[in-house]
Amino acid sequence: MKQLEQNLKALGYGGFTVDREYTGATADAVRRWQEDLGLPETGTVEPGRVVYAAGQVRVDARSAAVGDLVQPGTLLLTRTGVDRAVVVELEVADERLAETGAAVEVELPDGRRVPGKVGAVQTVITPGGNGAEPATSLEVTVTLAGKEAVRGFDQAAVDVGFTADTREGVLTVPVAALLALAEGGYGLELVEGGSTRITAVETGLFAAGRVEVSGDGLAEGAVVGMPS
C-alpha cells in the first residue's frame, strides 16, 4: 500500500498521507489517476493493474498497443535502469583499450566532455548470412562520472576517447613542426637567438596533434620553427 501511495504522489496525485492505510483520500487520488488514464473511476486498484519494481526504472519501448490481445507471458514493454551509460562497439584488435576500470573521456553532442570509466566488456558474435561472414566485436559499457552533465539526454551519439598509452616527463612538439629529412627520418628546426639549425629527432607517441620527440640539443623550453 505504501508503495502505491508513494508512486501516486510522485505522479502528482496528492491529498493523502503516504502510509500503509488505504483511506478515502487515497481513493480520491486513485480516481483522479484513473480519470487521466481514461479508466473507470472506481477508486480501487485491482490486482494486476500495477507492477512494482525493486527501484526506479525507465520504460525503453512498448511492445503492445491498446486493443491488442494479451495473455500470460505476452511482452508489454521493455525497461532499463535510470543510470545513464554509454555503449561502444570496438574491434577485437582494440581489446587492450577496454580494460575494466580504465578511464575514458566522453564528448557529448553539445561539445562538453565528461569523464567516465570502462564498466563492463562483452564479446558479441554477429551471425553471418546472405554471403556475409560471422563477425566478432566487443561491446563496451562506459559508466559516467558527471551524471548532471548528461541530464536531459535520453539517447544520443557521443564520441568516446580511450587511452592507448601514456608517457610522462617527455618533450612534445606540434606534429606540424616535424620535417622529413633527405637521409630519412624526421628533424626539427631549432630557433636559437637569431639563427636556426636543423636537428634530427626520434619520434615517440602521437596524441592530440602533438608528438613525443628526443634528440641531441633538445631541452624543455626550446623554440621550434613551424613550416609555412
Side-chain angles (χ1 to χ4, degrees):
M1 185 58 59
K2 187 175 182 180
Q3 286 176 302
L4 173 64
E5 292 185 335
Q6 286 174 330
N7 283 277
L8 281 171
K9 195 159 190 176
L11 290 171
Y13 302 98
F16 56 86
T17 302
V18 176
D19 54 23
R20 297 182 182 278
E21 296 183 15
Y22 195 92
T23 64
T26 306
D28 288 340
V30 169
R31 290 189 187 94
R32 297 196 301 274
W33 173 55
Q34 291 170 329
E35 180 182 9
D36 289 343
L37 293 178
L39 300 173
E41 299 168 34
T42 63
T44 60
V45 181
E46 64 271 22
R49 175 61 67 181
V50 297
V51 177
Y52 294 110
Q56 290 185 328
V57 297
R58 166 186 169 274
V59 175
D60 182 49
R62 292 186 303 173
S63 304
V66 176
D68 286 354
L69 180 64
V70 299
Q71 57 187 359
T74 300
L75 182 64
L76 301 180
L77 56 83
T78 56
R79 67 186 189 183
T80 69
V82 296
D83 290 335
R84 289 171 172 79
V86 175
V87 178
V88 182
E89 184 175 327
L90 289 180
E91 296 182 1
V92 175
D94 294 324
E95 184 176 8
R96 62 191 178 88
L97 301 178
E99 183 178 347
T100 302
V104 301
E105 185 177 67
V106 179
E107 183 175 351
L108 303 176
D110 59 9
R112 287 179 296 166
R113 298 177 183 271
V114 181
K117 66 178 180 179
V118 175
V121 182
Q122 188 173 20
T123 301
V124 177
I125 300 176
T126 303
N130 297 324
E133 295 291 330
T136 303
S137 61
L138 299 176
E139 186 177 271
V140 181
T141 300
V142 174
T143 58
L144 301 173
K147 298 187 183 299
E148 288 299 318
V150 296
R151 188 176 299 278
F153 289 103
D154 183 33
Q155 294 183 357
V158 300
D159 291 325
V160 179
F162 292 84
T163 300
D165 204 349
T166 302
R167 296 283 194 275
E168 296 183 1
V170 299
L171 298 174
T172 68
V173 297
V175 174
L178 290 177
L179 301 173
L181 301 180
E183 61 272 24
Y186 293 99
L188 291 174
E189 181 184 36
L190 294 182
V191 180
E192 299 171 329
S195 62
T196 63
R197 65 182 178 91
I198 304 297
T199 184
V201 296
E202 295 289 336
T203 59
L205 183 67
F206 287 76
R210 299 186 69 84
V211 57
E212 173 192 354
V213 292
S214 59
D216 293 338
L218 289 182
E220 183 178 1
V223 178
V224 298
M226 293 286 289
S228 57

